[in-house]
Amino acid sequence: DTTVKQNPRYKLARVGKPVNLICSQTMNHDTMYWYQKKPNQAPKLLLFYYDKILNREADTFEKFQSSRPNNSFCSLYIGSAGLEYSAMYLCASSRGTVNQDTQYFGPGTRLLVL
Amino acid sequence: AQSVTQPDARVTVSEGASLQLRCKYSYFGTPYLFWYVQYPRQGLQLLLKYYPGDPVVQGVNGFEAEFSKSNSSFHLRKASVHWSDWAVYFCAVSMGTGGYKVVFGSGTRLLVSP
């Protein structure tokens, strides 16, 4: 089973309110990623966990938090949503972090901030 | 800076016709290259991947891609398009030691006409 699951599939949030998105995988992958995708743009890496170590991209460091309570689950947390956070959020996992590892993606969570 | 360019945001092909989706990358070093496909309401799925070796890579569903170092390209091809190929196609390059960071292109939407 190469399924990555994401919940919820759609999320409506108010400006200034927190948002928590959930991702799970049962492939025992070491690495889990979160991407942000806006229409007609490339998926943008926000952060990833390798095992228990969190790595956040420099330009989104303060905007997103994450936790990984166990190997299977990973969350993405926005403390105070702004209109610019409206996007599709893609979760992915891979066996490791070597160059040729395939990333397996979930179906995404579409976040709309009003 | 490393980048991936997919110059065609949208391509329309008649069913049964051949297909080429273009991808140009910018990376100083040995690239690992991927094509992912996103079908409607699904997550990104790997079509094929290249790592140093034979420049022509075979993928699933009759897709293949050819790596050209001289042209910094990794174009995707298919001899005969089927209506089920209607999707968005993303080219990506894996970069750096550790290889965790995959830089995606903005995608090409393939429309298949009857």
Side-chain angles (χ1 to χ4, degrees):
Chain A
D1 181 13
T2 56
T3 301
V4 177
K5 297 182 180 179
Q6 292 188 243
N7 287 296
R9 293 292 305 275
Y10 301 91
K11 176 72 176 177
L12 182 65
R14 296 293 181 187
V15 170
K17 297 298 185 182
V19 175
N20 197 46
L21 307 180
I22 303 295
C23 177
S24 65
Q25 53 88 13
T26 55
M27 296 172 278
N28 200 32
H29 281 171
D30 285 331
T31 310
M32 296 185 74
Y33 310 78
W34 280 101
Y35 291 84
Q36 181 191 65
K37 187 177 182 321
K38 295 187 175 181
N40 303 315
Q41 295 183 20
K44 174 182 168 54
L45 180 68
L46 299 175
L47 53 87
F48 73 96
Y49 263 99
Y50 176 65
D51 195 13
K52 295 180 174 59
I53 300 171
L54 174 61
N55 296 269
R56 288 183 285 179
E57 291 294 285
D59 58 345
T60 57
F61 189 85
E62 296 181 347
K63 296 183 178 180
F64 298 93
Q65 291 282 348
S66 183
S67 67
R68 191 175 187 187
N70 56 54
N71 178 269
S72 299
F73 287 87
C74 187
S75 68
L76 181 70
Y77 181 76
I78 301 168
S80 177
L83 296 175
E84 70 277 13
Y85 286 86
S86 292
M88 177 75 82
Y89 289 86
L90 304 175
C91 176
S93 71
S94 66
R95 183 169 53 88
T97 58
V98 295
N99 287 354
Q100 62 266 39
D101 271 358
T102 298
Q103 293 191 20
Y104 296 87
F105 284 83
T109 294
R110 188 176 296 279
L111 173 65
L112 179 61
V113 182
L114 299 175
Chain B
Q2 293 82 354
S3 65
V4 175
T5 301
Q6 294 181 248
D8 305 308
R10 181 178 294 199
V11 169
T12 302
V13 176
S14 298
E15 191 170 17
S18 63
L19 167 72
Q20 177 171 280
L21 301 182
R22 296 183 292 165
C23 173
K24 300 272 284 184
Y25 69 90
S26 172
Y27 178 58
F28 182 74
T30 301
Y32 294 82
L33 295 155
F34 305 80
W35 275 98
Y36 284 85
V37 60
Q38 186 174 28
Y39 298 106
R41 294 176 297 282
Q42 296 185 29
L44 278 71
Q45 303 171 32
L46 183 71
L47 266 183
L48 49 81
K49 61 184 177 183
Y50 165 83
Y51 35 87
D54 190 334
V56 178
V57 183
Q58 302 297 322
V60 298
N61 298 333
F63 284 94
E64 67 173 28
E66 183 166 5
F67 168 70
S68 171
K69 185 172 183 178
S70 60
N71 293 325
S72 297
S73 66
F74 189 56
H75 300 331
L76 182 70
R77 302 189 297 239
K78 187 171 184 179
S80 178
V81 169
H82 188 263
W83 65 267
S84 60
D85 294 324
W86 185 308
V88 182
Y89 293 79
F90 293 92
C91 182
V93 61
S94 174
M95 49 187 241
T97 58
Y100 72 86
K101 186 158 186 174
V102 176
V103 176
F104 286 85
S106 54
T108 297
R109 184 176 299 275
L110 173 64
L111 308 175
V112 181
S113 61

